[in-house]
Amino acid sequence: MRSLVEAARAKDFPAEIALVLSNVASAEGLEFARKQGVDTAVVDHRRFADRESFEREMQATLTKHAIHLVCLAGFMRLLTPWFVEQWRGRMLNIHPALLPSYRGLHTHERALADGVKIHGATVHFVAPEVDAGPIVTQAAVPVLDSDTPETLAARVLEQEHRIYPLALKLVAAGAARVNGARVGVEVKGAVPAALVWPTE
């Protein structure tokens, strides 16, 4: 979230971070957002009898603030198909693995246990299935023999901070869009050999 707020300060960035919404009132990101002059809101899921009621309150809050795109960052609650459908093609998530591998939790531990040599992060459009939406951008990092889940997570996190603003920029500018089950991404010029795609 901090990376998105900081990236959006650039005059040529095609999106404004208009609201930071959390289901946890004590989330540190809320205080950071307030200090940056970004509106904040809290919809505490514990106040609602079911997920539908909670999500309808979130939807009302997003509508009140005239939100056009939603970027999930550290939001650890499963969303119902109803809510996802409200934001089809307009909601992004970041996942600490190279999807479609390692959907769900404990991605770094699972990658190390499998002995993979490349791991990374993915920004994707949200679909009703967990971590299954069309991919916008990915970044890969090497897995070292000396890695622990913590050291690998730290290296992946550096790339998450790099690719989430890029993905939002592409989507907000209309350069990345859902085309059926895939994402169409327009990239001007040749794509250089790199571990991040698409590049700016």
Side-chain angles (χ1 to χ4, degrees), residues 166-186:
L166 170 59
L168 175 57
K169 182 177 182 180
L170 290 168
V171 172
R177 64 211 176 278
V178 177
N179 180 12
R182 298 179 59 82
V183 172
V185 179
E186 301 169 2

Side-chain angles (χ1 to χ4, degrees), residues 8-150:
R9 290 184 186 137
K11 290 183 179 179
D12 63 343
F13 198 83
E16 172 192 358
I17 307 302
L19 176 70
V20 172
L21 171 65
S22 178
N23 63 313
V24 179
S26 60
E28 291 182 14
L30 293 170
E31 183 59 26
F32 171 82
R34 291 182 195 111
K35 289 180 178 177
Q36 303 302 312
V38 178
D39 286 346
T40 63
V42 175
V43 179
D44 187 343
H45 64 279
R46 294 169 298 185
R47 295 194 299 109
F48 299 89
D50 52 44
R51 282 200 295 168
E52 180 179 345
S53 301
F54 165 62
E55 290 180 354
R56 288 190 179 279
E57 183 64 23
M58 280 203 307
Q59 180 69 17
T61 302
L62 294 168
T63 300
K64 175 184 174 184
H65 288 268
I67 301 303
H68 181 67
L69 290 169
V70 172
C71 296
L72 302 176
F75 187 79
M76 300 302 291
R77 295 191 62 79
L78 294 176
L79 297 169
T80 65
W82 174 83
F83 188 82
V84 172
E85 188 60 35
Q86 308 308 304
W87 295 94
R88 179 178 293 274
R90 298 187 297 133
M91 183 161 52
L92 297 173
N93 183 47
I94 189 155
H95 182 71
L98 292 172
L99 293 174
S101 298
Y102 304 116
R103 293 175 176 164
L105 301 174
H106 311 297
T107 61
H108 311 306
E109 291 86 346
R110 290 158 58 201
L112 289 173
D114 287 347
V116 301
K117 298 301 181 187
I118 297 291
H119 190 45
T122 302
V123 180
H124 63 96
F125 284 102
V126 176
E129 302 79 18
V130 175
D131 301 326
I135 292 169
V136 179
T137 188
Q138 293 182 303
V141 300
V143 179
L144 308 178
D145 290 341
S146 59
D147 266 328
T148 65
E150 293 74 25

Side-chain angles (χ1 to χ4, degrees), residues 96-97 108 119-121 141 151-161:
H108 311 306
H119 190 45
V141 300
T151 60
L152 184 55
R155 221 161 42 257
V156 169
L157 184 60
E158 288 180 14
Q159 295 305 316
E160 290 183 47
H161 291 171

